[in-house]
């Protein structure tokens, strides 16, 4: 599985660094680092919807440092376990 977090101008200003750090922490705590590749991406085209990540072929919008852990547990982790 590949998680690409937008680091374009809009997402950067909305906290994409916090989202990346949240994903890193969630991946490490879940022990699935061998199944997930986390990477930065330029604009994913959802600028008005908050920080965006592309998980394989699905877009997840509205991410922030506060909700990324919960979204990882609910929407991403079940797909890799």
């Amino acid at each position: 599985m590949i998680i690409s977090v937008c680091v374009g101008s809009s997402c950067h200003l909305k906290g994409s660094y916090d989202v990346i750090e949240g994903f890193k922490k969630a991946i490490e705590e879940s022990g699935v680092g061998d199944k997930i590749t986390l990477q930065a991406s330029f604009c994913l085209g959802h600028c008005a919807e908050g920080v965006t990540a592309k998980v394989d072929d699905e877009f997840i919008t509205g991410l922030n440092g506060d909700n990324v852990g919960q979204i990882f547990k609910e929407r991403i982790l079940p797909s890799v376990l």
Side-chain angles (χ1 to χ4, degrees):
M1 174 177 287
I2 298 173
I3 301 173
S4 302
V5 179
C6 180
V7 293
S9 300
S10 178
C11 286
H12 173 73
L13 292 172
K14 293 176 182 173
S16 60
Y17 177 80
D18 293 335
V19 171
I20 291 171
E21 290 303 309
F23 273 132
K24 283 182 184 178
K25 181 179 177 185
I27 290 166
E28 182 180 318
E29 288 177 353
S30 301
V32 293
D34 59 329
K35 298 177 183 176
I36 296 176
T37 300
L38 178 63
Q39 61 190 25
S41 174
F42 289 108
C43 186
L44 293 172
H46 295 270
C47 305
E49 299 170 53
V51 179
T52 300
K54 184 177 179 186
V55 181
D56 288 336
D57 292 324
E58 176 188 359
F59 291 99
I60 300 175
T61 60
L63 294 166
N64 59 53
D66 294 330
N67 70 9
V68 68
Q70 188 67 31
I71 288 173
F72 178 83
K73 288 177 188 169
E74 292 175 1
R75 297 184 61 182
I76 298 170
L77 190 58
S79 298
V80 294
L81 292 179

